[in-house]
Amino acid sequence: MKTRWIAATTFFSFAAVAEPVEIPQLSPALKPHHAVDYRRGAFEIMGWHFKQMGAMLKGELPFDKAKFTKGAEMVSLMSYVPLEGFVKGTGIGEEKYSEAKHNIWKNFPDFNEKMLSLQKEAKSLAEISKTGDESTIKKQFENTSKTCKTCHDEYRDRQQH
Ligand code: ASC
């Protein structure tokens, strides 16, 4: 009996881990260009703050902890936005302004994982920026920045719009 219970719980815990990652579906209330606008809007907001935060850490702007924290919180909040906008049929050549490579939809579980790691690192940056010293903050800023870059290298192709 006990063995059976263990077998069942083992099965269900593996089943939970193996849950497939769903490619988001476009709501019938929206058009494909809305998905591109939506995700690009979130990335623009992240970039707006991230660039200013980077400039503070490089000493190009004075380090203002309150402003830095506010930026980090905004980046963290925005990091939850784009994934929903990566619906099929909105890659480069399919939608104007798209910079999304088509391998996003071929490797969606990997892409999803990379977005989740941005969320994790950005959340940690927002937390650390409240209490940490500048060098600790800088280290976490670099960890967060790496998650942007890793994903861009594989899944973004900058276009001349
Ligand atoms: C930005 C921006 C990105 C990221 C990336 C981080 O400000 O526009 O794409 O930061 O450069 O490595």
Side-chain angles (χ1 to χ4, degrees), residues 46-48 50-51 144-146 148-149 152 156 158:
M46 284 189 250
W48 173 277
F50 217 67
K51 283 176 182 66
T144 310
S145 175
K146 243 179 250 161
C148 307
K149 191 176 175 326
H152 289 165
R156 180 192 193 188
R158 263 182 205 274

Side-chain angles (χ1 to χ4, degrees), residues 1-157:
M1 193 63 202
K2 196 173 178 197
T3 321
R4 233 193 264 174
W5 186 82
I6 291 168
T9 50
T10 308
F11 173 78
F12 283 112
S13 57
F14 276 112
V17 170
E19 206 172 294
V21 177
E22 301 279 340
I23 294 178
Q25 299 266 333
L26 186 66
S27 158
L30 299 166
K31 294 196 163 61
H33 81 85
H34 291 127
V36 180
D37 296 345
Y38 179 70
R39 66 196 193 218
R40 284 180 63 83
F43 288 129
E44 278 297 318
I45 293 170
M46 284 189 250
W48 173 277
H49 294 286
F50 217 67
K51 283 176 182 66
Q52 296 182 76
M53 291 154 71
M56 283 187 213
L57 294 175
K58 274 194 249 161
E60 295 166 1
L61 287 176
F63 186 73
D64 176 337
K65 201 172 173 125
K67 187 167 167 60
F68 189 97
T69 302
K70 207 173 143 230
E73 282 171 345
M74 196 57 93
V75 172
S76 173
L77 184 62
M78 286 301 120
S79 71
Y80 296 96
V81 171
L83 203 47
E84 191 186 337
F86 282 95
V87 298
K88 264 194 186 150
T90 62
I92 296 168
E94 294 173 316
E95 273 303 316
K96 202 178 170 189
Y97 303 122
S98 179
E99 299 188 329
K101 287 192 195 169
H102 293 257
N103 60 354
I104 288 174
W105 294 280
K106 282 193 202 118
N107 308 332
F108 206 79
D110 178 66
F111 179 73
N112 182 73
E113 202 178 292
K114 287 183 163 62
M115 289 297 300
L116 299 188
S117 66
L118 166 65
Q119 292 167 8
K120 179 171 159 274
E121 299 300 344
K123 184 167 189 262
S124 161
L125 180 61
E127 284 160 7
I128 286 170
S129 66
K130 273 179 231 156
T131 52
D133 58 30
E134 210 177 315
S135 74
T136 317
I137 293 171
K138 192 167 182 176
K139 195 152 190 308
Q140 188 52 30
F141 182 84
E142 281 158 10
N143 291 340
T144 310
S145 175
K146 243 179 250 161
T147 66
C148 307
K149 191 176 175 326
T150 308
C151 200
H152 289 165
D153 287 349
E154 225 162 308
Y155 295 116
R156 180 192 193 188
D157 198 347

